[in-house]
Amino acid sequence: DVKVTQSSRYLVKRTGEKVFLECVQDMDHENMFWYRQDPGLGLRLIYFSYDVKMKEKGDIPEGYSVSREKKERFSLILESASTNQTSMYLCASSFAGEGWREQFFGPGTRLTVL
Amino acid sequence: AQTVTQSQPEMSVQEAETVTLSCTYDTSESDYYLFWYKQPPSRQMILVIRQEAYKQQNATENRFSVNFQKAAKSFSLKISDSQLGDAAMYFCAYRSARGGGSEKLVFGKGTKLTVNP
């Protein structure tokens, strides 16, 4: 079974803190994604990576950065957390290339910024 | 840019009945994929069913089927013989078939399905 794990299910941070959200997949997927999920807004793509050290901005990259030093690990970084970054964060991964390529999701991290 | 619209924020169905969730999308591309994902309460998002745009035949997976109308840009999900375990948020998603940087999913805002016993 494909497994995508995220470092924390729940996280509480203070405004201005630097926050790291970690995601690990065990299926040798090339692509990894970070989404933000908010009620009434669905899932919105923050960043994705199609290879080690490669990244592309998604639809809402402002206030976030990412790091992918190893193929299996994709980190989302909030350089200075703000209250409007309180949300559910979902990581996903998939194989690259032709075909419909299912994205597999992690359990999510519910981040609260106080 | 592609957009996906789910016009029903919430739906409810009686156990064993059939329910249809609506999804429309906007794209100028001719080749793409469409997906329905299910997110049960406090559980991981899982793929329910997919449809390749080049296929005319509607996809079916057990009790789940889709009605894909390419010209109308419509992709509805039908759940037959609804079960209590079908209660979840359902997301419709679009993905370009171009590959490369186009491999991201574009999601609708979701439909919350309640199944009444």
Side-chain angles (χ1 to χ4, degrees):
Chain A
D1 278 353
V2 174
K3 186 169 283 186
V4 180
T5 57
Q6 296 183 228
S7 50
S8 304
R9 290 299 302 270
Y10 300 93
L11 207 53
V12 180
K13 295 292 182 181
R14 298 223 173 259
T15 301
E17 279 192 79
K18 190 169 186 176
V19 181
F20 292 86
L21 303 183
E22 304 284 333
C23 175
V24 178
Q25 52 93 5
D26 66 358
M27 279 301 291
D28 204 33
H29 286 164
E30 294 87 2
N31 295 333
M32 296 189 75
F33 307 83
W34 275 107
Y35 295 92
R36 172 176 171 159
Q37 182 178 5
D38 299 288
L41 296 179
L43 280 75
R44 294 176 290 167
L45 182 66
I46 305 171
Y47 267 98
F48 76 98
S49 169
Y50 50 91
D51 202 349
V52 175
K53 296 190 186 295
M54 306 303 288
K55 62 185 179 184
E56 284 201 22
K57 293 180 180 179
D59 301 315
I60 51 165
E62 296 78 17
Y64 303 95
S65 62
V66 291
S67 173
R68 192 168 180 199
E69 296 297 320
K70 293 186 177 182
K71 190 174 185 180
E72 67 271 18
R73 188 179 298 269
F74 191 35
S75 301
L76 180 69
I77 304 157
L78 287 66
E79 294 288 344
S80 178
S82 64
T83 55
N84 62 13
Q85 292 178 311
T86 291
S87 186
M88 172 71 88
Y89 291 88
L90 296 177
C91 176
S93 69
S94 73
F95 285 116
E98 293 185 7
W100 53 275
R101 299 302 183 194
E102 178 180 353
Q103 283 192 20
F104 294 87
F105 285 81
T109 295
R110 186 167 296 281
L111 173 68
T112 302
V113 182
L114 301 174
Chain B
Q2 295 83 18
T3 59
V4 176
T5 301
Q6 293 178 248
S7 58
Q8 306 152 318
E10 295 189 26
M11 292 280 286
S12 64
V13 63
Q14 291 297 126
E15 200 174 1
E17 298 288 301
T18 295
V19 64
T20 298
L21 308 184
S22 300
C23 173
T24 59
Y25 58 94
D26 188 28
T27 183
S28 59
E29 298 177 329
S30 60
D31 198 12
Y32 48 86
Y33 307 101
L34 295 165
F35 305 86
W36 278 99
Y37 275 86
K38 171 186 177 181
Q39 186 181 41
S42 302
R43 293 179 61 188
Q44 281 171 248
M45 184 105 69
I46 58 171
L47 179 65
V48 174
I49 197 166
R50 74 177 193 277
Q51 175 79 43
E52 291 94 331
Y54 65 85
K55 289 187 177 179
Q56 291 189 328
Q57 187 172 3
N58 289 324
T60 299
E61 288 286 343
N62 301 314
R63 297 182 295 107
F64 298 86
S65 61
V66 299
N67 183 4
F68 173 50
Q69 303 288 329
K70 191 172 184 179
K73 295 180 183 175
S74 172
F75 182 61
S76 61
L77 174 70
K78 186 171 82 171
I79 306 173
S80 304
D81 185 25
S82 297
Q83 300 176 0
L84 295 177
D86 294 333
M89 281 291 290
Y90 286 83
F91 292 96
C92 179
Y94 169 102
R95 208 205 90 185
S96 170
R98 282 188 288 122
S102 302
E103 292 185 38
K104 67 176 186 178
L105 289 173
V106 178
F107 285 89
K109 294 181 179 181
T111 297
K112 182 179 180 181
L113 178 66
T114 301
V115 180
N116 300 309

